[in-house]
Amino acid sequence: MRSTVLEVLRRGRARIAAGWCQGAFRRVAPDGREHFCAEGALREYHVGVEHSQTNLKSEVYLNAALRTIAPRFACMVWNDRATTTQADVLTLYDRAIELAEAAERLQ
């Protein structure tokens, strides 16, 4: 079964809430917990998981949300800025989810 855009975004948000990082798509802490950057949380970092149109659309919503928050930055650059926090990235995901929900209502 394929994931929907909203499922991918919500799963990405949950990954950020569980552990966020800068400077890499994914890091594994000494205790085995995974930490993801804003983009890495969407990419899932596992070979058997689909990287389909759904994942690409999820990235489009994430970047559209970023343009409302920090219009001058690419997602990776913004994620890695010294002033960006985990809370900021969660807010980014919340905005991306809002945009995807609004688009879904229009269909």
Side-chain angles (χ1 to χ4, degrees):
M1 186 166 123
R2 299 197 99 163
S3 298
T4 68
V5 170
L6 281 169
E7 289 169 340
V8 171
L9 287 168
R10 288 179 180 135
R11 195 169 50 232
R13 188 193 188 285
R15 284 191 173 101
I16 296 296
W20 171 68
C21 69
Q22 292 179 300
F25 284 120
R26 172 181 167 261
R27 293 186 194 269
V28 179
D31 64 4
R33 291 184 312 126
E34 294 179 305
H35 298 254
F36 294 90
C37 77
E39 283 191 38
L42 286 183
R43 294 182 183 205
E44 302 202 32
Y45 243 82
H46 300 290
V47 173
V49 180
E50 85 263 5
H51 188 74
S52 64
Q53 292 289 23
T54 300
N55 293 59
L56 295 173
K57 287 178 185 176
S58 300
E59 289 183 27
V60 168
Y61 283 110
L62 195 69
N63 285 303
L66 182 60
R67 284 193 298 278
T68 71
I69 296 169
R72 294 187 193 169
F73 291 98
C75 194
M76 283 189 291
V77 173
W78 177 79
N79 182 88
D80 292 349
R81 292 181 72 213
T83 56
T84 301
T85 66
Q86 182 177 15
D88 294 331
V89 178
L90 290 170
T91 298
L92 173 67
Y93 268 85
D94 290 339
R95 180 69 182 130
I97 290 166
E98 288 171 11
L99 292 172
E101 287 171 338
E104 194 174 84
R105 284 192 296 274
L106 294 174
Q107 293 179 356

